[in-house]
Amino acid sequence: MSTVLLLLITGLGLGALYFLVASGLSLIYGLMGVLNFAHGSFLTLGAFLGWEVARRMPDGSWLTFGVSILVGAVVGATVATLTELLLIRPLYLRHIEQVLVTVGLSLATVALFEGIWGVDPIYVVGPEWLNDTTDIAGALIPNDRFVLIAAAVIVLLGLVVFLKRTRYGLIIRAGVENRAMVTALGVDVRRAFTLVFAIGGAAAGIGGVLASHYFGYVSPLIGGSLLIFAFIVTVIGGLGSLTGAAIASVVVAVLQQFANFYLGGTGDFMVVALLAVVLLVKPTGLLGSKA
Amino acid sequence: MNAPDPILRVAGLSASIDGQQVVEQVDFEVPATGVTAVLGRNGVGKTSTLKAVLGLISRSGVVEFDGARIDGEPTHRIVQRGIGYVPEDREVFASLTVAENLRLAERGTTPNRGMVDELFPDLIARSAQRAGSLSGGQQQMLSLARVLMNDNRLLMVDEPTKGLAPRIVTEVAAALERAAAVTPVLLVEQNLPVVRRLAHTVVVIEGGRVIHAGPAAELLDDDERTQQLLGVHSTDHGAPRGGTDHGAPKGDTDRSAPTGADESREETP
Amino acid sequence: MTMIRRLRTSPFTPWVIGGLLVGLVAVLPLLDLSLPGVLPGSTYTPGTLQLLAFAMVFAALALSYHLLFGVAGLLSFGHALYFALGAYGLGIVLRDTELALVPAMAVVLLAAIAVAAALGALSLRVSGIAFAMVTLAFAQAGSVLVRRNASVTNGEEGLPLRVDNIPAELVGVLNTRNVYWLALALLVVVFLIVAWFERSRAGHVVAATRENELRVRVLGMTPFRVKLITVVLAGGLAALVGMVYLLLQSGVTPAVTTPDFTLTLLVIVVLGGVGSRWGAVVGGLIYTLLDQRLTALARSEAIQDLPEFLRIPLSEPLFILGTLFILVVVLLPGGLAGVARRTLARADSARARAGRSLDEEATR
């Protein structure tokens, strides 16, 4: 029982990371039709700069941890905004070229990160409490899981409130459904494009800092490896659906944990198998309307 | 047609979708008052012409709105100049509520709720309902209401009666007639009785080109010419629908306004 | 003048030029040519031949990817899977069985075709960007499979080539030129197969689905089947290329299984010009040479002495290539092939203009 609980909560923690990456990917794809390969780089840069700031501050303090997360969010939002303005916008509505540009950006930035910070993992130190465990019904749960889950829940709630309560949220929801019609009502939808990039970048940047604490290190490849699972999550959840991304994040990560433990480390395969099954049964994903 | 200053002037407009030419060298004008109907058989480029004017598809040629060139502007800018667009198939946002659909369409700081509240009380009562769960007729009303939220200088309405029950067709026509009393309308419509009731000018498109333009009554009174241009008799649609036109119980109250449109029709020499 | 024009417009001209080029490339190992800055040494040295063979293998792989992306318009992020399948498959069969080279290659090719058919049928259920993500997921599963099962694949170390059942002519540094000729033959064969496919009925139909799927369906053809044929052919060719790669490199590492490897192919095809066979070949050759030379440049003193903010980016070949790629996408639609086409067109119209004014003068 305690093992099941540990796997479940660890799965939720990992799912939280997936969601932080996938939420932005899904919104960007849903609104703009762009598959953003550079999203992993937003995450990685957030993680590296979060670490750069943290190492200049007192080790292991909560303030340091909080500041590094904030830095991650700001860095992610900033590079994402610049990416949209400088590279995506000039190729307006040319979806394949937009994808290609993000591919080039991801290759170039990963190489640049390797040049700056080297290829070896850099170990990060967080508040002592993160490395401790909490006893829940006999299961010793590492505390960083709770932080991850809390962060993802806060981001999810923030996104929901933003989407439901603000005019830009309204524009984004409408744009995901029918972008052309939004412009035909006299709305400049391109501003919403920049905004979803910024929001997605911020979520990815937060995810980057948290991922470096979850894995215990940061490396230039950290974003790319999470990105692939985030892609799978967005397809399973339904492209463009935030709720779908949230559900699929949890399903994928929990499945992965259980398969890794009970089925001899086959977690990644089970995830791909799940993807195959979803495609066979419902090609649009759990909550998606367009394939 | 001979009005001194047309609100919309289109000259040599061509447009393509995925590299395929759908509108070819179209010229026409929309007078600053009344309803101008664009007619033509299915798939001749009527909808594409409207989309090309709005820049929703790639186009070339001259489009002038109220004397200013708009053919180089992005869609939202064109709409902000004061064009309300009611697309074919309504295109309401299914996942948004009625109220959200309307809120999204508000362009100015002072939305024009009066007319919407008056024309569509049924819709206002359903504010919290998701637009996707509305009936086809209600969705059409919502699509119309969306543009009437703003003070427009031109409405472009694409097949507003398509696929609707006869009673609803009457309601839609009445609402349009009411709107046309204050704003000029460019209307794409297959239903000839509706055209006859609303329009004072017609433009006929065939194969992406304008093949006829003139007063509506002149064309529709000439059954042979109508048959030749549109492939239907000018009275064909009228027979079955004409009855419901008068029989609709709700229609009577809604049609208190048509005189406005009728008068503007008289004005044309 | 007219003869040149006739040559330019004749459909056979590219083939004649191509044949001459192949002949030239074939005799390179017998010549002593050096191209400082482009090639590391004279053309007969094993190091240079190895690099050129490597470039040709990449060009052949890019051609197989061109079938997917350029011809069928399928944006796949999982093409590395089939290449890796060829390389690892052949390596494992040669290590664990006593099959000779050719039968072993046939076995691996059949396996690759079967895998391509199964995964292709599954991933073609979705289209566009979703197809890209799904192929990426499958390739990632393959990559994990290779890394995790070290007992079969030798994990991160990479799988060395067991040479016992391989003809001696293909083994060893002294025989590099034989492998070089093999790579050239591979490139020619793949080019001819791809060209033949593009001219076949299936090729025409699949190209039509790229433009307008609906119209193909209306004509009574199933887009799904022709796309699947394309995916299987591209997968089979990639596996074949992977096998030659194994022979050339005397082994294979997990790096070729990664999504980044597929992205490299995408970069090559776009660099060369999407939809152009010659573009894919030239893109593959240029990319490989650039990658190699930029790596050498990164280690050179000229770069190492630069201040940090210049040295770091310039010592990362992939950073330069990635940036170059972005610039090509944004500034040069159509890639190198597009540039060539525009240049030729401009030259043509200039000549036509010159010709006309000459004619006018003559009539006067």
Side-chain angles (χ1 to χ4, degrees), chain A residues 164-167 170-171 173-175 177-178 180-190, chain B residues 56 74-77 79-80 85 87 91-96 100 103-107 146:
Chain A
K164 291 268 179 206
R165 292 290 157 83
T166 66
R167 176 155 179 88
L170 185 62
I171 292 171
R173 277 187 295 147
E177 197 180 314
N178 184 346
M181 193 58 221
V182 175
T183 66
L185 290 178
V187 177
D188 184 1
V189 81
R190 288 173 306 180
Chain B
L56 284 166
T75 302
H76 67 270
R77 232 9 103 53
V79 172
Q80 282 166 3
Y85 174 52
E91 302 204 29
V92 296
F93 299 100
S95 64
L96 271 53
E100 285 174 335
R103 193 141 45 86
L104 184 69
E106 288 173 9
R107 286 204 304 269
R146 267 196 319 209

Side-chain angles (χ1 to χ4, degrees), chain B:
Chain B
M1 204 59 190
N2 302 326
D5 282 317
I7 185 74
L8 184 75
R9 197 175 71 82
V10 170
L13 182 70
S14 298
S16 58
I17 301 174
D18 292 334
Q20 225 166 345
Q21 186 99 354
V22 285
V23 176
E24 204 185 328
Q25 295 290 328
V26 162
D27 305 281
F28 65 89
E29 289 182 354
V30 179
T33 52
V35 176
T36 303
V38 179
L39 307 177
R41 297 164 216 250
N42 271 327
V44 296
K46 304 186 294 282
T47 296
S48 300
T49 302
L50 296 199
K51 288 191 170 172
V53 167
L54 284 170
L56 284 166
I57 53 179
S58 63
R59 79 291 204 203
S60 62
V62 175
V63 182
E64 269 179 23
F65 179 66
D66 203 10
R69 285 282 292 263
I70 58 167
D71 42 76
E73 293 190 356
T75 302
H76 67 270
R77 232 9 103 53
I78 295 174
V79 172
Q80 282 166 3
R81 283 175 174 270
I83 298 184
Y85 174 52
V86 181
E88 198 184 10
D89 302 321
R90 356 279 187 221
E91 302 204 29
V92 296
F93 299 100
S95 64
L96 271 53
T97 64
V98 169
E100 285 174 335
N101 266 279
L102 293 177
R103 193 141 45 86
L104 184 69
E106 288 173 9
R107 286 204 304 269
T109 40
T110 49
N112 199 0
R113 291 216 83 112
M115 192 186 230
V116 172
D117 288 350
E118 181 199 324
L119 280 177
F120 312 105
D122 200 31
L123 213 53
I124 303 305
R126 294 172 185 274
S127 283
Q129 197 176 327
R130 271 164 39 108
S133 64
L134 296 173
S135 71
Q138 289 163 337
Q139 291 192 5
Q140 186 62 60
M141 299 296 182
L142 177 56
S143 194
L144 259 173
R146 267 196 319 209
V147 304
L148 298 182
M149 298 289 290
N150 305 292
D151 289 321
N152 289 301
R153 290 189 291 161
L154 173 67
L155 298 182
M156 301 213 298
V157 185
D158 197 351
E159 300 226 22
T161 66
K162 188 178 161 195
L164 298 181
R167 190 177 59 81
I168 315 289
V169 169
T170 313
E171 280 183 46
V172 169
L176 266 177
E177 201 156 23
R178 180 65 212 289
V182 284
T183 316
V185 176
L186 178 60
L187 173 73
V188 171
E189 182 56 74
Q190 304 262 34
N191 185 329
L192 293 185
V194 171
V195 172
R196 185 185 280 274
R197 174 177 164 185
L198 297 175
H200 69 140
T201 312
V202 292
V203 173
V204 182
I205 294 186
E206 168 91 43
R209 292 166 163 276
V210 171
I211 53 167
H212 172 87
E218 188 185 295
L219 174 66
L220 295 179
D221 287 343
D222 187 344
D223 187 53
E224 196 181 326
R225 185 97 174 103
T226 307
Q227 164 75 23
Q228 182 197 344
L229 290 175
L230 301 175
V232 288
H233 290 282
S234 59
T235 46
D236 262 2
H237 280 59
R241 299 238 175 120
T244 52
D245 230 332
H246 298 286
K250 266 186 90 179
D252 287 330
T253 48
D254 283 353
R255 272 191 287 120
S256 49
T259 38
D262 275 337
E263 273 162 16
S264 69
R265 203 179 302 170
E266 304 305 346
E267 278 168 21
T268 50

Side-chain angles (χ1 to χ4, degrees), chain A residues 2-22:
Chain A
S2 66
T3 313
V4 171
L5 205 59
L6 175 64
L7 290 173
L8 198 63
I9 295 180
T10 302
L12 281 174
L14 187 61
L17 272 186
Y18 290 166
F19 175 75
L20 288 174
V21 187

Side-chain angles (χ1 to χ4, degrees), chain C residues 3-42:
Chain C
M3 208 180 85
I4 292 172
R5 203 171 302 158
R6 201 174 302 145
L7 268 179
R8 280 277 302 283
T9 51
S10 159
F12 296 106
T13 310
W15 296 100
V16 174
I17 296 174
L20 289 173
L21 270 177
V22 169
L24 179 68
V25 174
V27 298
L28 275 185
L30 309 175
L31 302 174
D32 178 8
L33 295 173
S34 48
L35 267 175
V38 178
L39 297 175
S42 183

Side-chain angles (χ1 to χ4, degrees), chain C residues 117-206:
Chain C
L119 295 185
L122 204 52
S123 46
L124 283 171
R125 286 179 60 83
V126 286
S127 57
I129 297 297
F131 176 84
M133 294 202 202
V134 171
T135 50
L136 178 70
F138 286 139
Q140 180 63 13
S143 183
V144 171
L145 190 70
V146 167
R147 286 169 194 274
R148 291 270 169 83
N149 294 286
S151 56
V152 184
T153 62
N154 218 19
E156 300 291 335
E157 301 271 294
L159 185 72
L161 174 67
R162 174 175 173 249
V163 295
D164 299 10
N165 295 320
I166 293 178
E169 293 78 26
L170 292 176
V171 179
V173 176
L174 290 177
N175 286 321
T176 302
R177 63 182 189 183
N178 291 336
V179 185
Y180 169 90
W181 281 320
L182 179 67
L184 175 62
L186 172 84
L187 178 57
V188 171
V189 166
V190 171
F191 189 93
L192 292 177
I193 290 176
V194 169
W196 162 78
F197 177 78
E198 283 189 53
R199 273 146 213 259
S200 73
R201 184 174 153 75
H204 283 296
V205 174
V206 84

Side-chain angles (χ1 to χ4, degrees), chain C residues 227-257:
Chain C
K227 281 189 196 168
L228 186 59
I229 292 173
T230 314
V231 167
V232 170
L233 181 62
L237 289 177
L240 190 67
V241 177
M243 294 186 237
V244 174
Y245 174 87
L246 177 82
L247 298 175
L248 175 68
Q249 297 289 89
S250 300
V252 55
T253 63
V256 304
T257 67

Side-chain angles (χ1 to χ4, degrees), chain A residues 144-177:
Chain A
D144 58 355
R145 301 337 184 226
F146 300 119
V147 176
L148 283 172
I149 295 167
V153 169
I154 291 170
V155 168
L156 174 62
L157 290 179
L159 281 174
V160 168
V161 169
F162 168 76
L163 289 175
K164 291 268 179 206
R165 292 290 157 83
T166 66
R167 176 155 179 88
Y168 271 111
L170 185 62
I171 292 171
I172 291 168
R173 277 187 295 147
V176 167
E177 197 180 314

